[in-house]
């Protein structure tokens, strides 16, 4: 395969070795109190003893209004809220959950909880009663912050949640028999004695889907902010004059690590958009707020690509750096970014469990288009076999990380056995398959359980999907291995077409021929189904396991983290 390289300007940016040297001074950038720490204090309070005190921390673009908060505003609001929590009897180690759209109370609530030494948990506002019940029950949460509308879904399962003591409502002014208004915090002092935690003590948790069973509660410690800080600095390249926009929801780990902790720890002015995805709105926000750094996800990028050239109507010239996370970033999306904005989306790889970015493309590093990049300084990544033995360069295997990085998950809540299962032969096994090339770049292949074996040949569904969406008629593609008596498996593709194209046998053949000629003779989909939509998680990943289960007539399993299905 010919490598397509996006060359960086030499001399303009520091090289990776300089970054590595800095790694050892990183701890100094994170304030500690005699070996104790609090992530919320690091993200917010410590700036208030510097010139950043009155710098804008949060630009909130709500559905109906816009609000701005300085670091000092956030310090005071989170202190007040922490005082309210203490009055409600919260204790170190308790679990307090947030079930809200992207409103300021979500951010203030999260940081306030962390300040008390309790564990903050988040949930997507799209969750229904069963998903809520699973999370609140398993975590044993005693406090929930939500609004009146979303509370109805909690009420439906409240009788199954005996440990849930208090519900705090953001949109009510009066206490009722079972709720307390968020605004009670206004009556509280703006000073708070922030809990001084051991670095390894728990700070936040969130539930994520595995291939089997119910979602599991991944718990992170206060010290994780060290890694979130350094990655936000070196990968996102946050500087003091930047306006930074992360499009993720804090129901997803990206929205916690890089929309609350790592970004604010660097003192970055951060834009939060309450509303849903909408190309024109997104471009207008970049123009209005002069966004300089943009962290988003491949599905969003592909949807922008599909929406035509409306970006031309807006001034996008403030943008200086763009990153992506969550699923494979197709080369076509990078090429589009270069065409549309003159900038390449920089892919970053990580997981809920890793608490921060681990394999990335950097502003200072030539980008091999289609690669996830190289391990972050201080991180050792490798490709290992199923026994945890390292494999030679170029061979496909399990993407594995040497354990012990600061933001590595601490426990799986109530499930120590599940936690142990991640580690083998001295490695953390990610569940992803990948390869590393001779230059140390990592290339994603697929989830360990999604790789297709057809007529003895191994095919990564991602490769096929990437190729498929390069076809002019294809908007989105999901590919699975379908059991076949002759070939073991055949490749089946589920395709959503772009507007203006309709399904036909001719189009089906054309696409098959296109893949045969573009990818490999054996890697074309022998079966194609045209669909209206593909099942996706909130973070935009196409859920192949759902496609597969449907195809085989099997139970689809837990769907609570799905956006569409
Ligand atoms: C996938 C997301 C390809 C991968 C922060 C991983 C990616 C899972 C990338 C974790 C990437 C994430 N390229 N695949 N750059 N980033 N993934 O826990 O399969 O929601 O294991 O965390 O997303 O998803 P999670």
């Amino acid at each position: 395969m010919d490598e397509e390289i996006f060359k960086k300007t030499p001399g303009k940016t520091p090289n990776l070795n300089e970054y590595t040297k800095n790694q050892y001074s990183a701890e100094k950038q994170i304030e500690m109190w005699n070996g104790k720490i609090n992530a919320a204090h690091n993200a917010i309070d410590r700036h208030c003893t510097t010139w950043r005190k009155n710098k804008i921390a949060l630009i909130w673009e709500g559905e109906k209004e816009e609000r701005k908060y300085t670091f000092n505003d956030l310090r005071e609001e989170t202190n007040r809220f922490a005082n309210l929590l203490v009055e409600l009897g919260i204790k170190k180690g308790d679990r307090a959950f947030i079930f809200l759209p992207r409103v300021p109370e979500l951010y203030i609530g999260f940081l306030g909880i962390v300040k008390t030494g309790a564990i903050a948990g988040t949930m997507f506002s799209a969750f229904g009663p069963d998903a809520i019940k699973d999370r609140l029950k398993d975590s044993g949460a005693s406090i929930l912050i939500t609004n009146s509308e979303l509370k109805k879904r909690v009420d439906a399962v409240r009788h199954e949640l005996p440990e849930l003591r208090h519900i705090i409502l953001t949109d009510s002014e009066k206490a009722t028999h079972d709720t307390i208004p968020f605004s009670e915090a206004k009556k509280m002092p703006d000073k708070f004695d922030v809990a001084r935690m051991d670095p390894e003590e728990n700070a936040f948790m969130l539930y994520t889907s595995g291939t089997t069973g119910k979602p599991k509660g991944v718990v992170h410690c206060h010290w994780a902010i060290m890694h979130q800080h350094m990655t936000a600095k070196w990968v996102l390249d946050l500087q003091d004059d930047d306006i930074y926009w992360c499009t993720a929801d804090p129901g997803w780990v990206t929205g916690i690590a890089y929309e609350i902790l790592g970004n604010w720890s660097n003192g970055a002015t951060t834009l939060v958009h309450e509303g849903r995805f909408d190309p024109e709105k997104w471009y207008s926000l970049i123009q209005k707020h002069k966004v300089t750094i943009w962290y988003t996800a491949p599905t969003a990028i592909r949807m922008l690509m599909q929406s035509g050239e409306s970006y031309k109507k807006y001034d996008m010239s403030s943008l200086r750096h763009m990153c992506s996370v969550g699923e494979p970033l197709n080369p076509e999306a990078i090429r589009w970014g270069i065409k549309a904005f003159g900038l390449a989306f920089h892919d970053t790889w990580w997981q809920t469990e890793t608490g921060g970015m681990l394999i990335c493309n950097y502003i200072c590093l030539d980008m091999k288009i289609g690669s996830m990049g190289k391990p972050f300084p201080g991180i050792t990544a490798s490709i290992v076999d199923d026994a945890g033995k390292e494999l030679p360069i170029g061979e496909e295997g399990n993407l594995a990380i040497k354990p012990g990085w600061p933001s590595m998950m601490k426990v799986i809540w109530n499930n120590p056995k599940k936690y142990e299962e991640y580690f083998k032969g001295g490695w953390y096994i990610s569940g992803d398959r990948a390869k590393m090339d001779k230059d140390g770049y990592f290339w994603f292949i697929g989830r360990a359980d999604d790789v297709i074996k057809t007529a003895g040949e191994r095919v990564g569904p991602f490769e096929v999907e990437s190729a498929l969406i390069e076809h002019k008629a294809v908007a989105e593609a999901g590919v699975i291995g379908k059991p076949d008596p002759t070939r073991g498996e055949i490749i089946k593709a589920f395709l959503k077409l772009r507007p203006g194209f309709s399904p036909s046998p001719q189009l089906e053949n054309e696409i098959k021929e296109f893949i045969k000629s573009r990818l490999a003779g054996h890697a074309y989909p022998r079966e194609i189904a045209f669909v209206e939509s593909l099942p996706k998680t909130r973070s935009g990943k196409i859920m192949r396991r759902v496609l597969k289960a449907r195809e085989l007539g099997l139970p689809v399993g837990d769907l609570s983290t799905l956006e569409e299905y």
Side-chain angles (χ1 to χ4, degrees):
M1 186 183 78
D2 280 343
E3 274 171 2
E4 189 181 347
I5 312 246
F6 182 68
K7 276 255 175 224
K8 302 301 178 69
T9 320
K12 248 187 122 176
T13 48
N15 68 31
L16 213 51
N17 292 334
E18 278 175 50
Y19 279 174
T20 318
K21 268 191 269 155
N22 284 339
Q23 172 83 356
Y24 303 105
S25 64
E27 283 178 47
K28 291 199 195 108
Q29 306 191 30
I30 298 292
E31 189 179 339
M32 299 200 40
W33 304 297
N34 280 333
K36 303 279 185 183
I37 188 172
N38 186 295
H41 172 270
N42 265 289
I44 305 296
D45 298 4
R46 98 195 141 85
H47 301 304
C48 298
T49 58
T50 73
W51 68 270
R52 290 198 189 108
K53 180 174 179 184
N54 296 316
K55 183 182 174 182
I56 301 296
L58 170 63
I59 305 172
W60 179 65
E61 182 77 39
E63 298 278 27
K64 295 188 194 83
E65 56 168 324
E66 183 196 313
R67 271 192 245 159
K68 289 185 176 162
Y69 295 79
T70 63
F71 279 97
N72 199 48
D73 293 338
L74 286 185
R75 181 179 67 90
E76 291 181 358
E77 299 255 348
T78 54
N79 281 349
R80 287 198 180 96
F81 187 68
N83 277 314
L84 174 64
L85 291 172
V86 168
E87 201 168 279
L88 293 176
I90 203 168
K91 289 187 306 299
K92 195 165 138 177
D94 284 355
R95 279 76 57 213
F97 268 66
I98 306 169
F99 179 41
L100 283 173
R102 286 186 295 274
V103 292
E105 290 84 355
L106 192 171
Y107 302 82
I108 292 163
F110 185 95
L111 290 159
I113 295 165
V114 173
K115 279 187 167 182
T116 67
I119 305 172
T122 55
M123 297 190 287
F124 286 117
S125 55
F127 283 164
D130 285 343
I132 298 161
K133 183 192 74 192
D134 286 345
R135 285 156 177 83
L136 296 181
K137 197 170 180 172
D138 184 67
S139 65
S142 56
I143 292 182
L144 178 70
I145 312 168
T146 186
N147 64 30
S148 320
E149 192 52 38
L150 294 174
K151 178 177 175 286
K152 292 179 194 155
R153 300 186 213 159
V154 184
D155 289 342
V157 290
R158 181 85 193 253
H159 60 284
E160 293 184 66
L161 302 169
E163 290 173 272
L164 182 58
R165 285 186 292 118
H166 298 292
I167 296 186
I168 301 175
L169 288 186
T170 55
D171 59 344
S172 102
E173 291 300 321
K174 266 214 281 315
T176 67
H177 70 284
D178 71 340
T179 66
I180 300 128
F182 196 97
S183 57
E184 280 293 299
K186 285 205 186 93
K187 301 178 193 154
M188 298 287 154
D190 64 12
K191 301 218 164 20
F192 181 73
D193 191 10
V194 176
R196 301 189 169 211
M197 307 294 285
D198 285 331
E200 302 292 319
E201 280 182 299
N202 299 332
F204 69 92
M205 69 189 295
L206 71 190
Y207 281 78
T208 190
S209 299
T211 13
T212 53
K214 295 216 183 231
K216 43 191 190 248
V218 174
V219 188
H220 286 286
C221 69
H222 283 261
W223 188 229
I225 198 160
M226 149 88 165
H227 187 75
Q228 290 150 355
H229 177 94
M230 296 316 295
T231 45
K233 194 179 183 69
W234 295 344
V235 183
L236 298 173
D237 193 41
L238 298 176
Q239 309 284 338
D240 258 318
D241 50 1
D242 279 312
I243 306 290
Y244 163 68
W245 184 24
C246 172
T247 62
D249 188 293
W252 184 33
V253 69
T254 309
I256 294 177
Y258 299 105
E259 200 174 279
I260 301 179
L261 297 173
N263 53 315
W264 280 333
S265 173
N266 279 281
T269 298
T270 301
L271 170 67
V272 167
H273 173 222
E274 182 187 5
R276 294 180 70 87
F277 174 82
D278 169 34
E280 298 266 339
K281 179 75 187 173
W282 276 32
Y283 294 139
S284 75
L285 285 175
I286 292 173
Q287 172 176 285
K288 175 176 172 195
H289 297 289
K290 300 193 167 43
V291 171
T292 57
I293 301 183
W294 189 19
Y295 195 21
T296 190
T299 293
I301 301 168
R302 289 193 293 266
M303 280 155 70
L304 291 172
M305 286 165 69
Q306 290 158 28
S307 73
E309 299 195 325
S310 50
Y311 59 85
K312 288 190 171 161
K313 288 191 271 168
Y314 299 89
D315 181 4
M316 301 282 107
S317 62
S318 57
L319 285 172
R320 71 168 185 88
H321 188 38
M322 315 193 296
C323 295
S324 164
V325 62
E327 40 168 336
L329 181 61
N330 316 82
E332 208 204 356
I334 300 180
R335 286 186 218 119
W336 175 80
I338 296 171
K339 190 179 114 228
F341 312 115
L343 298 168
F345 284 102
H346 287 59
D347 194 12
T348 64
W349 176 91
W350 56 293
Q351 306 176 297
T352 304
E353 294 88 337
T354 73
M357 306 171 188
L358 292 188
I359 298 178
C360 313
N361 288 281
Y362 308 86
I363 258 189
C364 60
L365 188 75
D366 289 344
M367 185 191 288
K368 293 194 187 186
I369 292 185
S371 155
M372 306 190 292
K374 289 192 177 190
F376 189 77
I379 299 296
T380 307
S382 191
I383 303 297
V384 304
D385 66 15
D386 288 343
K389 198 171 126 294
E390 282 189 82
L391 291 170
I393 282 168
E395 249 179 65
E396 179 191 321
N398 299 301
L399 174 55
I401 312 290
K402 265 276 161 259
W405 68 96
S407 63
M408 187 175 90
M409 61 171 173
K410 280 289 158 254
V411 284
I412 296 289
W413 195 257
N414 282 339
N415 203 340
K417 193 167 148 273
K418 194 101 210 162
Y419 186 81
E420 291 307 319
E421 280 168 16
Y422 279 92
F423 302 91
K424 221 170 261 158
W427 293 96
Y428 162 84
I429 309 291
S430 70
D432 283 355
R433 295 187 68 83
K435 27 187 191 192
M436 186 184 80
D437 70 17
K438 63 180 189 336
D439 302 319
Y441 286 77
F442 283 78
W443 300 76
F444 182 81
I445 289 167
R447 285 293 301 178
D449 31 22
D450 278 339
V451 172
I452 301 164
K453 253 323 199 50
T454 179
E457 298 277 355
R458 179 172 278 173
V459 178
F462 165 56
E463 270 180 288
V464 187
E465 288 163 1
S466 271
L468 281 163
I469 65 157
E470 305 239 345
H471 188 279
K472 63 180 185 309
V474 179
E476 286 175 4
V479 165
I480 59 163
K482 177 178 171 182
D484 181 84
T486 315
R487 295 182 166 81
E489 286 181 316
I490 56 158
I491 299 170
K492 173 151 190 172
F494 296 82
L495 304 180
K496 180 181 162 192
L497 295 178
R498 285 177 192 269
F501 292 90
S502 40
S504 71
Q506 288 84 336
L507 182 60
E508 197 177 313
N509 278 333
E510 193 191 305
I511 292 171
K512 286 179 183 172
E513 286 307 315
F514 177 78
I515 301 299
K516 268 191 206 170
S517 65
R518 290 290 287 265
L519 192 58
H522 68 271
Y524 78 96
R526 282 170 189 272
E527 274 187 37
I528 289 182
F530 296 105
V531 294
E532 290 300 316
S533 71
L534 287 162
K536 285 197 210 92
T537 63
R538 288 280 300 186
S539 55
K541 273 190 290 288
I542 289 172
M543 298 289 275
R544 298 191 194 103
R545 73 172 169 85
V546 176
L547 287 172
K548 193 156 183 162
R550 277 190 200 151
E551 178 68 30
L552 305 182
L554 297 171
V556 288
D558 173 55
L559 293 177
S560 59
T561 58
L562 282 196
E563 161 97 308
E564 299 169 18
Y565 49 89

